[in-house]
Amino acid sequence: MSFEDLKAKKPDFHIDGNPESNIKHVIGVVSGKGGVGKSSVTSAMASLMVKAGYKVGILDADITGPSIPKMYGVHGPALGNENGTFPVEAEDGTKIMSINLLLDDEEQPVVWRGPVIAGAVKQFWTDIIWGDLDYLFVDMPPGTGDVPLTVFQSLPVDGIVIVTSPQDLVSMIVKKAYNMANMMDIKVLGVVENYSYLACPDCGKILKPFGESHIDEVAKELHLEVLGKLPLDPEFAAIADAGKIYSREIKDLDKAVEVLKSIEK
Ligand SMILES: Nc1ncnc2c1ncn2[C@@H]1O[C@H](COP(=O)(O)OP(=O)(O)OP(=O)(O)O)[C@@H](O)[C@H]1O
Ligand SMILES: [Mg+2]
Ligand SMILES: [Zn+2]
């Protein structure tokens, strides 16, 4: 092997999962900035796949801002045995692991530095007994920092879904996430636009409170699929606060389901 070959060979940081986990597909959910709806879109895709008959888990990789347990109404402590820790099962059967299920006090902030946070995410892979799963969704913190990097390097990610909103600097943000995925040899499954529009509850008129969408143009330029455009949902807060996110009715992610079903190893 020549020196050039050596340089071109990327180091492999992949780590083995728990011996009692058998996970067919790992899907990352990312965004350029906070609050655009990653966790909501993660739960929406997860519950659609559950309804389609698949075994589904969610790894909440947002260590400093975990939101999945609350949306699903699950609480710790997660139980374990000598081989690892079990995820907590939501009412619809979704298996969930989040830092909040391991803390003694859910309201205690996590004040760890980057490497420790990244270590915790790796442990969600190595130490959690996921059992048999068809799809494990990884809900990321916003941006392209330590955690997405760790997940992309350490876990066998099949592909990522990029979530944006119309008021985002969509083009730049989608391209950043897209470029990061490319650098790590990870496939982008497509983009989901959240807060795309609002249907007036009285007359059904479509309003665009966050402005016109540019997602189609950006997706076309990058040869990406638009997996869905989700409306501002007036019922969302109530369902999420009640911990029943899985009961939300979602009509706008058919394309996402189709793409997820068609992933081949
Ligand atoms: N389509 C929607 N309609 C109404 N409310 C929504 C919608 N999507 C998300 N929300 C609300 O917006 C807030 C942010 O959503 P979410 O937590 O999914 O975003 P996020 O990108 O995961 O945020 P973070 O960057 O903090 O992880 C939540 O309080 C959620 O209830
Ligand atoms: Mg989130
Ligand atoms: Zn109206």
Side-chain angles (χ1 to χ4, degrees):
M1 188 185 276
S2 73
F3 186 56
E4 286 308 313
D5 288 341
L6 266 179
K7 272 201 303 190
K9 198 167 187 297
K10 291 187 187 142
D12 186 355
F13 295 108
H14 282 98
I15 51 175
D16 287 334
N18 189 282
E20 293 182 36
S21 298
N22 175 24
I23 301 170
K24 288 196 187 137
H25 300 298
V26 178
I27 312 296
V29 184
V30 307
S31 76
K33 68 172 196 193
V36 298
K38 277 174 306 301
S39 302
S40 316
V41 170
T42 302
S43 68
M45 290 192 294
S47 50
L48 288 171
M49 295 314 275
V50 168
K51 282 176 191 139
Y54 295 99
K55 296 194 187 79
V56 175
I58 301 179
L59 188 165
D60 185 355
D62 198 344
I63 302 294
T64 53
S67 53
I68 295 293
K70 183 161 194 305
M71 287 178 169
Y72 275 87
V74 295
H75 299 275
L79 305 175
N81 62 23
E82 64 277 9
N83 299 324
T85 304
F86 294 99
V88 176
E89 248 179 80
E91 215 169 274
D92 74 337
T94 307
K95 291 181 179 178
I96 294 168
M97 183 42 65
S98 168
I99 197 73
N100 259 12
L101 302 173
L102 302 174
L103 297 175
D104 290 332
D105 175 3
E106 290 178 0
E107 287 169 8
Q108 206 61 35
V110 171
V111 283
W112 299 338
R113 290 188 193 278
V116 182
I117 291 174
V121 171
K122 281 191 203 168
Q123 277 184 290
F124 285 178
W125 181 247
T126 55
D127 298 3
I128 300 303
I129 302 172
W130 290 101
D132 289 327
L133 287 183
D134 295 305
Y135 294 91
L136 178 67
F137 292 94
V138 182
D139 182 22
M140 307 275 195
T144 48
D146 255 6
V147 167
L149 188 62
T150 301
V151 170
F152 291 170
Q153 283 188 329
S154 315
L155 274 54
V157 178
D158 286 279
I160 60 162
V161 173
I162 302 173
V163 183
T164 63
S165 65
Q167 89 270 41
D168 258 354
L169 300 166
V170 173
S171 161
M172 187 193 71
I173 282 171
V174 171
K175 281 177 192 166
K176 258 196 178 115
Y178 173 86
N179 286 333
M180 183 182 192
N182 270 353
M183 281 165 64
M184 319 286 300
D185 284 328
I186 286 177
K187 191 175 157 67
V188 180
L189 300 174
V191 276
V192 173
E193 185 177 69
N194 193 26
Y195 312 123
S196 235
Y197 61 92
L198 170 67
C200 172
D202 294 327
C203 64
K205 186 173 180 217
I206 298 296
L207 308 167
K208 303 268 176 87
F210 294 120
E212 280 304 320
S213 164
H214 298 285
I215 197 72
D216 290 320
E217 297 147 45
V218 176
K220 194 166 171 213
E221 188 191 333
L222 299 174
H223 304 287
L224 293 177
E225 301 242 37
V226 176
L227 301 178
K229 295 181 185 175
L230 306 192
L232 242 161
D233 178 356
E235 320 246 284
F236 192 99
I239 291 178
D241 285 348
K244 294 198 178 295
I245 196 75
Y246 48 85
S247 65
R248 185 178 169 216
E249 203 195 320
I250 306 141
K251 300 175 274 230
D252 321 85
L253 281 175
D254 295 349
K255 190 75 201 171
V257 171
E258 188 188 307
V259 166
L260 287 168
K261 281 184 180 174
S262 70
I263 298 173
E264 294 297 335
K265 269 261 143 92

